Amino acid sequence: MRYRTIGRRSVSAVGLGAMPLSIENRPDEKRAVATVHAALDAGVTLIDTADSYHWHTGETGHNELLVARALARYGGDTSGVLVATKGGRGRPGDGSWTVTGTPDHLKRAAEASLKRLGTDAIGLYQLHKPDPEVPWAESVGALRDLLDAGTIRAAGISNVTTDQITEARGILGDGLVSVQNRYSPAVRDSEAELRLCERLGLAFLPWSPLGGISRSSLEGASGPTSEGTAFHEVASERGVSPQQVALAWLLARSPVVVPIPGAGRPQSIRDSAKAPGLELTDEDLARLE
């Protein structure tokens, strides 16, 4: 495994997006825990979760509790694992998502996440999405208060613009360590945000990083996919999955990129974890553009 930096922490160059373990059509707990353990066995030291990653009404924190249980049951050392969680979104249980960015809500949510994770402080706490009904500075100010209180060790923001990153950096200073936006072979409209993170020294965590290619065959079909792209061609030539090629391409975009592909079974995260070792040539990268 190769490593990158989030704030003062060194983490695996590819993390685990734990959301598929708790939302619709989730696996049973045995397979879910096995997936987390497979990630750890493969050298993954970043796990991304959120209080809103659940399926049914009344399940807030399902994914956080699952991750905490999986870490507790792991036979090896987990002291180097960074668990990054998020607050500010909700799921009523009907498949929809809500946004609540008031300072009071974010502080209560962080305290609840801390309790579920069972640690003395949250390693990385991310504001899940800006709330259009709440001034951005007020939401980010809640992260500042959580940092000052020691509830969280580092702060991140998600689904944001360059202006929001700049404003958050002014409020949080070095306490802001990461930005999590959608970015993939098919969705590249956060290029400006990625480059700003590069200039500021912030980690950029692409969510849904496999958009535009077919999901790993180990994961099974998951909505519309695109076959026959350059990613599939390079994968065939290298004898690897398109998933690995996509993640290696993301890693080549910038040294601040740390992809967090989701996984619902052990085989898939084992495959993703091999991506940092896949060296793409200049010719490969030109084709993938």
Side-chain angles (χ1 to χ4, degrees), residues 142-165:
L143 299 183
R144 177 74 266 170
D145 291 343
L146 289 166
L147 284 166
D148 293 343
T151 307
I152 67 176
R153 292 195 178 96
I157 51 179
S158 183
N159 300 300
V160 289
T161 65
T162 54
D163 287 345
Q164 288 168 332
I165 295 170

Side-chain angles (χ1 to χ4, degrees), residues 60-282:
T60 298
H62 182 282
N63 199 238
E64 293 172 323
L65 289 168
L66 174 64
V67 168
R69 287 194 297 272
L71 290 173
R73 296 173 189 172
Y74 187 64
D77 181 16
T78 60
S79 60
V81 176
L82 174 61
V83 177
T85 192
K86 296 180 286 294
R89 301 209 74 178
R91 300 201 78 198
D94 60 359
S96 66
W97 294 78
T98 60
V99 181
T100 307
T102 61
D104 285 347
H105 173 81
L106 292 173
K107 292 175 185 178
R108 288 195 305 270
E111 292 286 353
S113 291
L114 176 61
K115 184 175 181 180
R116 286 189 288 265
L117 293 172
T119 57
D120 58 345
I122 297 173
L124 173 58
Y125 192 70
Q126 304 159 98
L127 201 165
H128 208 153
K129 187 175 184 179
D131 184 342
E133 303 300 321
V134 179
W136 180 237
E138 291 185 12
S139 296
V140 176
L143 299 183
R144 177 74 266 170
D145 291 343
L146 289 166
L147 284 166
D148 293 343
T151 307
I152 67 176
R153 292 195 178 96
I157 51 179
S158 183
N159 300 300
V160 289
T161 65
T162 54
D163 287 345
Q164 288 168 332
I165 295 170
T166 300
E167 186 174 358
R169 181 58 178 262
I171 296 168
L172 298 171
D174 291 340
L176 178 66
V177 300
S178 66
V179 170
Q180 186 174 147
N181 275 15
R182 188 178 185 186
Y183 192 87
S184 69
V187 181
R188 308 188 190 185
D189 52 5
S190 277
E191 189 72 33
E193 287 75 21
L194 167 57
R195 298 308 158 193
L196 177 57
C197 287
E198 199 172 56
R199 294 194 295 274
L200 295 176
L202 303 175
F204 185 85
L205 282 56
W207 63 265
S208 196
L210 303 178
I213 66 165
S214 61
R215 293 286 300 275
S216 166
S217 59
L218 299 169
E219 232 11 80
S222 178
T225 60
S226 175
E227 299 289 350
T229 68
F231 289 86
H232 293 82
E233 294 167 4
V234 171
S236 178
E237 293 166 8
R238 295 298 193 88
V240 300
S241 68
Q243 176 172 328
Q244 278 190 50
V245 175
L247 295 173
W249 172 79
L250 282 164
L251 290 168
R253 300 295 291 171
S254 170
V256 303
V257 170
V258 184
I260 46 171
R265 59 183 71 233
Q267 299 96 315
S268 187
I269 189 57
R270 290 191 193 109
D271 187 52
S272 293
K274 295 176 183 177
L278 178 61
E279 295 286 350
L280 297 175
T281 66
D282 291 342

